[in-house]
Amino acid sequence: MPKKIRLGILGGGGDSLIGVLHRVASHINDNYQITGAVFNPDFDTNLAFAKEIDVPLNRIYKDFDTFIEEEMKLPFEERIQVCSVLTPNFLHFPMAKKLLDNGFHVICEKPMTTTLEEAKILQEAHKKAGTVFALTHTYTGYPMVRQMREMIKAGVLGRIHKVDARYYQGWINTIIHDKDKRSSVWRLDPKKAGISSCMGDIGVHAFNLVEFTTGLRVKSLLCDFNYLYEDNQMDVDGTVLIRLEDHVKGVIRGSQVATGEENGLAIAIYGEKGAFRWEQEKPNFLYKMSDTEPMQVYKPGHAYNSELSLDGTKLPAGHPEGIFDSMANIYLGAARAIRGEQYNDGEFPTMTDGVRGMDFIESTVASHKNGNTWVQLEE
C-alpha cells in the first residue's frame, strides 16, 4: 500500500477550529493526503476554500451524496480510503453510516451520533463493514494521558478508590445570556446538537477520559443539570455522580458557563498506593502524589515513560507538544489500523467508545429529568 492514505473531509471548512485541527493532525506524521472533500454546503464557498488550501478541485463535490456516488465510480486504487466527519452533530450518524455501508474507513468527531439508538445501528454497520472506525476523543492522544493509563494498568496506584474529572469552559456565556443568540446557535438547538449541550459536547470527554485511563467502566450515574433560562432547552452546566466497577465512585463536573475558564479539562485518580492528576491546559505534566513520598512530575520524551507514551512523543524532552500533536497521535493509530499494522488498543478511541459515550449522555439526561435519580448504563 502506498505511504499516503487518501483522505476525504466532510465539513470543517473556512475558519472552523475543528477543521484546521484535523487537517494539521493528518499531515503531522506524513500518513495522509487530502484527496477530496465537501468542506461546506455552499458549493462556491466549498470550491473557494479548496483552492485556498490547494485540494484538487475535481474531487470537491457539491454535497455528500455526490461525494459517495462519484468516489464509488473510481477504481479502488484511486478512491478515497478514509473520510473524516467534522460536521455538526446531527450529520455524524447519516454520514458515517453511508460511509461504512460503502466500505470506507471513518474518522469521526464526537459525539458519534445524537442518540444511543443511532449509535447501536452504526455499531452493527461497522461490524458488517469490517473497516476502521476512529472516534476523535482528542485528549486520549496526549503522551501524559497515555502514560497515566499504562501506569494504572501496571498497578502503580493499586486498587482505585475515587475519580474526579471536570471540564469547565466559559465560552458560551456571551451566547446564553442573549435571548436571540441562544435561540439561534446550533449547539443549543436539540435538532442539530442532540439532547445535551454541556454533557454532549464536553462532559462526554471527561467521561471518556475516566474510562480510558482507569480501564474501569461507569455502571450507573446520578445527574443534576442547570439550563439557566426557561426558554433554553439544553444543559449548559451539570454535575454527575458516578459508580464504576469494583466499588469505585467518583464525580464528573462539566460547565460551559464557568466564567473565565478556557479549556479546563482535568482528571484526578486516587488509589490505595498513590494518585495521579493531569490538566489539559498543562498537558506535559503528569503529577503522581503519595502520602509517604514527595510529589513526582512525569514529562514527555523521557526514557522512564511507557512505549505508548513515547510513541506519541515527536520531540525531545523539554519541547512542548499540544493539541495538534494529540490529535495527530489518533490519526497515526488509525493509519496503522487502516494499513493492517500492529497497534496498541490505546492509540485511538473506537466505535465502542462512541456507544459508551451516547449511553452516558442519554443517561445523564434521563437522570435529571427523572428527578435526579440513579440510572444504570446499558453497556
Side-chain angles (χ1 to χ4, degrees), residues 17 110 137-139 142 164-171 198-199 201-209 236-238 251-258 261-267 278 280-281 323:
L17 165 65
K110 44 61 45 195
H137 276 294
T138 319
Y139 309 107
Y142 277 117
D164 187 339
R166 74 161 203 167
Y167 202 152
Y168 282 0
Q169 295 179 337
W171 73 269
C198 181
M199 286 302 152
D201 187 31
I202 59 177
V204 70
H205 272 306
F207 165 79
N208 176 262
L209 204 59
V236 291
D237 179 90
V251 61
I252 292 173
R253 298 167 286 150
S255 182
Q256 293 168 314
V257 290
E261 292 282 356
E262 296 175 345
N263 201 52
L265 173 62
I267 186 169
W278 178 84
Q280 195 278 151
E281 292 181 359
I323 191 73

Side-chain angles (χ1 to χ4, degrees), residues 1-6 76 81 105 335 337-341:
M1 180 180 291
K3 178 174 175 54
K4 296 280 189 177
I5 295 170
R6 297 180 296 280
F76 182 78
Q81 297 163 272
H105 304 288
I338 290 168
R339 292 189 174 116
E341 300 170 358

Side-chain angles (χ1 to χ4, degrees), residues 55-225:
V55 175
L57 298 186
N58 65 323
R59 304 285 279 272
I60 301 299
Y61 302 106
K62 67 177 182 178
D63 55 38
F64 173 62
D65 289 334
T66 305
F67 175 99
I68 295 290
E69 181 181 347
E70 294 302 317
E71 284 295 318
M72 293 303 292
K73 291 178 182 177
L74 297 172
F76 182 78
E77 62 274 11
E78 297 178 18
R79 191 182 307 161
I80 284 170
Q81 297 163 272
V82 58
C83 197
S84 293
V85 181
L86 315 181
T87 58
N89 300 353
F90 73 103
L91 293 172
H92 291 181
F93 169 71
M95 287 183 169
K97 174 73 162 54
K98 193 164 185 176
L99 287 166
L100 291 173
D101 289 345
N102 283 277
F104 292 90
H105 304 288
V106 177
I107 298 171
C108 186
E109 263 297 325
K110 44 61 45 195
M112 187 172 75
T113 59
T114 57
T115 69
L116 178 58
E117 180 182 4
E118 287 178 346
K120 291 178 178 178
I121 293 171
L122 203 60
Q123 189 174 43
E124 288 304 311
H126 180 233
K127 289 178 182 176
K128 292 179 182 178
T131 54
V132 173
F133 187 98
L135 188 68
T136 54
H137 276 294
T138 319
Y139 309 107
T140 64
Y142 277 117
M144 290 298 93
V145 170
R146 294 179 167 194
Q147 178 66 18
M148 178 167 38
R149 169 191 170 98
E150 294 299 289
M151 292 180 74
I152 290 173
K153 189 188 296 186
V156 170
L157 299 188
R159 182 180 176 183
I160 303 299
H161 291 161
K162 182 179 178 65
V163 297
D164 187 339
R166 74 161 203 167
Y167 202 152
Y168 282 0
Q169 295 179 337
W171 73 269
I172 216 169
N173 262 325
T174 56
I175 295 171
I176 194 68
H177 300 312
D178 184 312
K179 190 177 189 306
D180 291 335
K181 289 181 180 179
R182 69 174 177 264
S183 301
S184 60
V185 65
W186 75 263
R187 289 189 182 277
L188 294 179
D189 181 353
K191 293 180 180 178
K192 294 181 178 180
I195 60 174
S196 170
S197 177
C198 181
M199 286 302 152
D201 187 31
I202 59 177
V204 70
H205 272 306
F207 165 79
N208 176 262
L209 204 59
V210 166
E211 295 200 334
F212 179 81
T213 55
T214 66
L216 301 173
R217 289 194 165 201
V218 175
K219 306 295 287 184
S220 60
L221 58 80
L222 183 151
C223 180
D224 186 40
F225 282 149

Side-chain angles (χ1 to χ4, degrees), residues 337-350:
I338 290 168
R339 292 189 174 116
E341 300 170 358
Q342 286 191 332
Y343 63 94
N344 186 299
D345 64 5
E347 289 192 50
F348 62 90
T350 66

